[in-house]
Amino acid sequence: MATLLLALAAISTGLFAGYFLIFQTGVMPALGRLNDEQFVAAMRRVNEYVPRPVFLLTFLAVVAFPAAALAVPVDGRSHTQRWLLVAGLVCAVLNHLVTIGGNVPLNNALASATSSPDSVARAAFESRWNTLHRIRTLFSVAAFALVIGAALS
């Protein structure tokens, strides 16, 4: 059971980190080249479609599987493996805190900024959202690397 939970922790954190990294390196730079009207419309659509079951399941899994792997007693689990899992879990939780406390409120503000010109809505959103997204991308990649480190130790 412990091996399965560790494998699921590695898979879920890897998928999540990959999603955030692709968004960071491909999607946002592409959207950044759009004019204000196109950018605001595209981000509103993205923010409507992202919080779907597959994303939400992965969002929960990156915390649940490392936590479950830690909760299952394992004879011979090294101190290093335990601390790598704890650190990976902390990074996943920090990612979620940035998302819930930063990116989601910005998404909601963009969705409700229908009376503002698109240039004003974009100016209030894009730079702050991208900064927060870089932070949560770093946390998600770190979580993945730490969980992989735990799996290999």
Side-chain angles (χ1 to χ4, degrees):
M1 180 59 106
T3 302
L4 174 62
L5 289 171
L6 193 54
L8 291 171
I11 290 167
S12 62
T13 57
L15 288 170
F16 202 66
Y19 173 79
F20 276 79
L21 191 60
I22 291 300
F23 218 86
Q24 177 66 42
T25 61
V27 175
M28 290 312 293
L31 293 179
R33 293 179 171 217
L34 299 175
N35 66 40
D36 294 339
E37 181 181 342
Q38 293 168 329
F39 175 86
V40 169
M43 281 307 299
R44 284 179 177 151
R45 294 305 82 71
V46 167
N47 294 332
E48 289 171 6
Y49 282 91
V50 166
R52 299 235 185 220
V54 171
F55 177 82
L56 295 174
L57 181 65
T58 308
F59 189 80
L60 295 173
V62 300
V63 171
F65 286 130
L70 280 166
V72 172
V74 176
D75 289 335
R77 175 180 279 159
S78 73
H79 185 70
T80 301
Q81 184 185 51
R82 180 167 186 72
W83 282 108
L84 287 169
L85 273 172
V86 167
L89 179 58
V90 167
C91 285
V93 169
L94 289 171
N95 169 290
H96 285 19
L97 291 174
V98 171
T99 299
I100 293 165
N103 293 90
V104 170
L106 287 171
N107 294 345
N108 294 340
L110 184 66
S112 65
T114 55
S115 62
S116 299
D118 289 334
S119 61
V120 172
R122 182 179 189 168
F125 175 86
E126 186 176 20
S127 177
R128 292 173 57 208
W129 194 95
N130 282 332
T131 298
L132 291 167
H133 186 70
R134 276 190 290 280
I135 293 166
R136 66 186 184 163
T137 299
L138 289 172
F139 281 135
S140 65
V141 170
F144 175 57
L146 291 161
V147 169
I148 290 298
L152 296 175
S153 66

